[in-house]
Amino acid sequence: MQTFETKQELSISLKEGWEFFSNPANLKKITPEKMGFDILNESLSSKIYPGMIIKYRVRPLWNIPMKWVTEITQVNAPNYFIDNQKSGPYAYWHHQHFLSETDTGIEIHDIVNYKVPFGLIGQWIEKILVKRKVAEIFEYRRLRLKEIFPS
């Protein structure tokens, strides 16, 4: 199992941060276009809640479309929420999203634990490709958030 962790500060209120990050529709705004990310749920609440199922189509590697289903398992507004993959490209995906106030705004702290399928071959693919891809996605997100919420 691999762990990816990142932190970012934004000059916004905790309320504004929670409103943005707890709305599933905003995920498309902070995901690289080349991933072909689309939410498939016909009607989806604008606020997350425990048990919420979100269905996506993504093209994470080589433009191959895949369905990805996640469940919001825990919500403690406005401080954190957790999503787990129900089905999709990973053997395991557990993403913790933390928001906390700072002197100048908020800090967003993400911890992702994931495992690539396919045993030893998957471990090799994770080392040469997936690890870098996950980091690129979060770097894109960091840059987009700076554009959406300039200091």
Side-chain angles (χ1 to χ4, degrees), residues 6-60:
T6 185
K7 293 180 180 181
Q8 179 175 3
E9 289 194 22
L10 295 173
S11 297
I12 60 175
S13 70
L14 185 59
K15 181 178 187 284
E16 187 177 9
W18 182 258
E19 287 175 4
F20 183 84
F21 290 103
S22 67
N23 183 341
N26 288 329
L27 192 52
K28 184 173 176 96
K29 296 176 184 177
I30 58 174
T31 301
E33 287 183 33
K34 65 184 177 184
M35 286 201 54
F37 181 91
D38 288 306
I39 295 177
L40 301 176
N41 300 60
E42 289 182 22
S43 61
L44 191 63
S45 170
S46 63
K47 293 292 177 206
I48 59 170
Y49 56 86
M52 175 184 256
I53 301 293
I54 308 171
K55 300 174 185 177
Y56 318 92
R57 181 178 37 250
V58 294
R59 296 174 184 271

Side-chain angles (χ1 to χ4, degrees), residues 89-101:
Y90 294 90
Y92 178 81
W93 176 272
H94 178 83
H95 185 176
Q96 301 170 77
H97 311 251
F98 297 96
L99 285 80
S100 58
E101 288 184 298

